[in-house]
Amino acid sequence: MQSKKNILVTGGAGFIGSHLIKLLVNKYPQYRIICFDKLTYAGNLENLTEVETAENYTFVKGDISSEENVAKVFHEEEVTDVIHLAAESHVDRSISNPSQFIETNVLGTTTLLNEAKKSWSSVENLFYHVSTDEVFGSLGKEGFFNEETSYDPKSPYSASKAASDHIVRAYGHTFGLSYVISNCSNNYGANQFPEKLIPLVVNNIKNSKPIPLYGTGDNIRDWLWVGDHVRAIDEIFHKGKRGETYCVGGENEWSNLDLVKLLIHLTDKHLDRKEGSSLGLIKFVTDRAGHDFRYAVNSRKLMEELSWKPSLTPEEGMSQTVSWYMENTEWMSRVTNGIYMDYYHKQYLKR
Ligand code: NAD
Ligand code: TYD
C-alpha cells in the first residue's frame, strides 16, 4: 500500500498529462490527483471526462507562471509532490514566438520550484520534471542519446526545456530539493493536438488535404506510444533514484517520409480506400528552420533498473492510434476550430 500523497500534475489537460492522470487516478485510489492547467490552446478538459467524477481527482485552473496561482494551489490542496508537464511543447510555435516558451517553460518551472522549496521540508516530497530528448540536440545517422549525453539544444523549445532541466538540478544541488527528470522521445497516441505530425497527417488524409512534409522528409524521429511513456513516469515517480535522470525511448525510428507512408496505408485501409490512394497528397514544403536531423534514445538504464519496456509494437501502436482518430472525429472537429485554422493557415499557406 502506497502512502497518502496529494500529487499536482501540471499540464494535466494536455496530451501526455491527461493520459498520466487517467493512469494515476485509476491505479492509486489512495492518492489525490490535482490537475493544474491554464487551458491554453493545447489544454482540453474533454481529454479527462473519464475521470472527472472520480473522488480522488480535482481540476484547478491556473498558470504555473503566476506566483499567486501556484501558492494558492499548494496551500489549498496540501501538495506533497509535483509531476511537472505544463509547457509550450511545439517546436514550430517556438520558432514563431520564442518568448512564450521562456515565459512558460523557464519562468513557470522556476515559479513552481520556488513554491516547492518554500512549502516542503521533507526529502519525501518529490519534484518530477517531464522533459524531452530534444535537449541533447541532433544526431547524425549513428548513435543514441543517453543519460550521459551533453546538452546541445538547437530550437527555442529545446533550449527552454534544457534550461528548465538545469534549474531543477540546481534546486536539487543548492537547496536539497528531491527531484527526478526524464527525457523522452516523440510520443504518439490518442488526444494529441493536431499541430504535431501524426494527428495532423491522419486528419489531412481523412479530409483529402495536402500532407506537408518539411524538407526532404528524411529527418528521423524515435516514436513512443504515450501509454508506455506514462507507465515509465509512474515507475520513475515511485522507484526512480532521487537526483537522477532517466532516458525514455521507443526503439522505434522512422524517417518522416516512411512514417507518413505507413499512416497513409493504415488510414486508407480504415476508410476502405484503395491501397496507397492518398500517396498523391504528400507535399514537400519549405523545411523547418534549424530542423534537427535525428533523435534516438537508449533507455537501457530505465529497462535495467526499473524493468520498464514498451508494451506495444510500433505496428500495434500506430494502428490503434489511427483507429482512435478515425473513431473520434467529433473530438477532432472540436479541436480544429477557428483558432486552429488561423494557426494552420499561418503555418502552411505560404510554404
Ligand atoms: P501539450 O502541448 O499537449 O500540453 C501542454 C499542457 O500544458 C496543456 O494542457 C496546456 O494548457 C498546459 N499549459 C501550458 N502553459 C501553461 C501554464 N503557463 N500554466 C499551466 N498549464 C499550462 O504537451 P504534451 O505533448 O502533453 O507534453 C507534456 C510535457 O511533456 C511537456 O513538458 C513536453 O515538453 C514534454 N514532452 C513531450 C513529448 C511529446 O512528444 N509530446 C515528448 C517528451 C517530453
Ligand atoms: P513534430 O510532431 O512537430 O515533433 P518534433 O518537432 O518535436 O520532433 O514533428 C515531427 C517531425 O515531423 C519533425 O521532423 C518535423 C516533421 N513535420 C513535418 O514534416 N511536417 C509537419 O507538418 C509537422 C508538424 C512536422
Side-chain angles (χ1 to χ4, degrees), residues 194 199-211 267-268 271 273 278 281 325-326 329 332-333 336 340-341 344:
L200 185 145
V201 167
V202 173
N203 193 37
N204 283 16
I205 299 170
K206 175 163 179 293
N207 296 310
S208 300
K209 281 173 53 178
I211 301 167
T267 311
D268 278 348
L271 294 169
R273 289 183 188 160
S278 300
L281 294 175
Y325 288 104
M326 292 297 109
T329 46
M332 186 58 89
S333 320
T336 49
Y340 173 82
M341 288 317 290
Y344 192 85

Side-chain angles (χ1 to χ4, degrees), residues 228-247:
D228 284 326
H229 184 194
V230 301
R231 281 178 46 246
I233 296 174
D234 178 20
E235 289 300 317
I236 295 166
F237 177 79
H238 287 101
K239 299 184 203 139
K241 286 200 194 113
R242 281 23 188 170
E244 295 216 5
T245 295
Y246 292 85
C247 282

Side-chain angles (χ1 to χ4, degrees), residues 11 13-17 37-40 42-43 62-65 85-87 89 104 130-132 157 161 184-187 192 196:
F15 166 50
I16 302 171
D37 200 298
K38 186 181 173 184
L39 300 181
T40 66
D63 183 344
I64 57 164
S65 304
L85 297 99
S89 69
T104 301
V130 177
S131 190
T132 167
Y157 164 66
K161 293 296 290 188
C184 186
S185 62
N186 289 55
N187 283 211
Q192 186 169 32
K196 304 276 169 42

Side-chain angles (χ1 to χ4, degrees), residues 30-83:
Q30 72 278 27
Y31 293 170
R32 188 166 170 71
I33 307 299
I34 306 120
C35 171
F36 183 76
D37 200 298
K38 186 181 173 184
L39 300 181
T40 66
Y41 76 93
N44 184 355
L45 287 177
E46 204 182 327
N47 298 344
L48 288 160
T49 41
E50 186 183 314
V51 292
E52 68 190 4
T53 57
E55 278 184 14
N56 62 337
Y57 169 77
T58 313
F59 170 70
V60 176
K61 186 167 189 283
D63 183 344
I64 57 164
S65 304
S66 156
E67 281 176 24
E68 200 187 326
N69 288 180
V70 170
K72 189 161 184 270
V73 74
F74 261 73
H75 294 126
E76 288 183 355
E77 302 295 338
E78 298 176 1
V79 169
T80 59
D81 302 83
V82 171
I83 307 183

Side-chain angles (χ1 to χ4, degrees), residues 14-20 85 89 130-134 157 182-193 195-200 221-233 247-250 252 259 295 297 308 317-318 321 325:
F15 166 50
I16 302 171
S18 58
H19 285 274
L20 177 66
L85 297 99
S89 69
V130 177
S131 190
T132 167
D133 64 346
E134 300 187 28
Y157 164 66
S182 55
N183 297 94
C184 186
S185 62
N186 289 55
N187 283 211
Y188 70 93
N191 300 107
Q192 186 169 32
F193 192 79
E195 64 189 354
K196 304 276 169 42
L197 182 70
I198 291 180
L200 185 145
R221 296 292 181 264
D222 170 44
W223 293 95
L224 178 68
W225 179 55
V226 64
D228 284 326
H229 184 194
V230 301
R231 281 178 46 246
I233 296 174
C247 282
V248 192
N252 179 27
L259 178 63
Y295 306 139
V297 173
W308 172 91
M318 291 291 172
T321 300
Y325 288 104

Side-chain angles (χ1 to χ4, degrees), residues 9 34 91 95 107 134 163 179 186 229 240 253 286 295 322 344:
V9 179
I34 306 120
V91 174
I95 295 168
L107 299 177
E134 300 187 28
Y179 72 90
N186 289 55
H229 184 194
E253 289 182 54
T286 314
Y295 306 139
V322 167
Y344 192 85

